[in-house]
Amino acid sequence: QLQLQESGPGLVKPSETLSLTCTVSGGSISSSSYYWGWIRQPPGKGLEWIGSIYYSGSTYYNPSLKSRVTISVDTSKNQFSLKLSSVTAADTAVYYCASNIVVVPAAFDYWGQGTLVTVSS
Amino acid sequence: QSALTQPASVSGSPGQSITISCTGTSSDVGSYNLVSWYQQHPGKAPKLMIYEVSKRPSGVSNRFSGSKSGNTASLTISGLQAEDEADYYCCSYAGSSTPLFGGGTKLTVL
């Protein structure tokens, strides 16, 4: 079964760019069966979908974050990445990567453990 | 897009049944049979419990069931157990390859 693991800095300064990578194991990121997504959860709050990418590079973003988000895929490394620019304290959250079944949108079946990113100077 | 609406909290005693509602609009929950439900224990990643309104992934107890009527989806947990105490989130497809989450419901097992 799929395993996903987030990695990246746990502390980012305000106005800078948050960068995270998700490494997929147990399956190929080039599978036609999955989108690969990022979801975040501010401390004590609910889940928010950030965006998703298909192995071909097609991307889909949350309209509220679209101007600041870039998601990319590296099929050679079986990884996909998130960049969120111009961060503020409001972007402090646990960031999860997850797999999203193509034929069943909104069904995220495998999740990483999550990584806490704090925005602070 | 606004988050789907869930009650902040629900509670029940062991052995009882509880239902968590998830209200959206005709643009999301009402338009697609693509509602999923997630269980999240403290400090853990969410776990998919229901997809396509009422289907259970392999390994999920049949005590968990889902349904939908109009713009509102529901998750029912029967035979409540202490281990069911967790936060629950609904999620609906909202078109244009966009999923939309609910605000979450804290389930307390009394």
Side-chain angles (χ1 to χ4, degrees):
Chain A
Q1 67 180 34
L2 290 175
Q3 292 184 316
L4 293 85
Q5 177 68 57
E6 307 88 351
S7 60
L11 181 64
V12 181
K13 290 182 169 55
S15 80
E16 295 190 344
T17 296
L18 178 160
S19 296
L20 295 173
T21 296
C22 182
T23 300
V24 178
S25 58
S28 173
I29 204 167
S30 297
S31 168
S32 59
S33 300
Y34 285 102
Y35 290 114
W36 306 97
W38 288 98
I39 296 142
R40 70 179 182 178
Q41 186 173 34
K45 297 187 178 181
L47 300 169
E48 179 181 36
W49 173 72
I50 300 170
S52 297
I53 190 166
Y54 196 50
Y55 77 95
S56 63
S58 297
T59 52
Y60 310 90
Y61 298 137
N62 186 323
S64 67
L65 297 169
K66 186 174 183 177
S67 64
R68 299 194 292 130
V69 174
T70 302
I71 297 176
S72 59
V73 64
D74 187 336
T75 55
S76 66
K77 294 182 179 179
N78 231 33
Q79 296 176 334
F80 63 106
S81 298
L82 168 70
K83 291 188 185 299
L84 181 65
S85 64
S86 305
V87 298
T88 69
D91 295 309
T92 293
V94 175
Y95 286 76
Y96 295 100
C97 58
S99 58
N100 179 190
I101 307 167
V102 168
V103 296
V104 189
F108 296 93
D109 55 349
Y110 292 99
W111 294 66
Q113 65 185 24
T115 187
L116 175 63
V117 179
T118 301
V119 179
S120 175
S121 55
Chain B
Q1 288 178 325
S2 298
L4 305 175
T5 300
Q6 299 181 232
S9 63
V10 298
S11 62
S13 299
Q16 289 185 331
S17 294
I18 63 95
T19 296
I20 299 172
S21 62
C22 170
T23 301
T25 69
S26 57
S27 297
D28 37 66
V29 176
S31 286
Y32 308 96
N33 288 323
L34 292 169
V35 176
S36 55
W37 289 89
Y38 301 85
Q39 176 191 65
Q40 185 180 37
H41 287 110
K44 300 295 186 182
K47 175 186 176 183
L48 179 65
M49 303 301 283
I50 296 286
Y51 66 99
E52 288 185 292
V53 176
S54 60
K55 296 179 180 179
R56 283 187 307 275
S58 175
V60 172
S61 171
N62 59 9
R63 296 187 299 105
F64 292 83
S65 61
S67 62
K68 191 188 88 167
S69 177
N71 296 338
T72 297
S74 298
L75 173 71
T76 297
I77 308 174
S78 59
L80 209 56
Q81 299 179 0
E83 66 204 50
D84 300 331
E85 184 163 294
D87 293 327
Y88 291 85
Y89 294 90
C90 63
C91 181
S92 175
Y93 183 63
S96 302
S97 299
T98 299
L100 185 62
F101 282 97
T105 298
K106 180 177 180 59
L107 169 61
T108 299
V109 180
L110 302 171

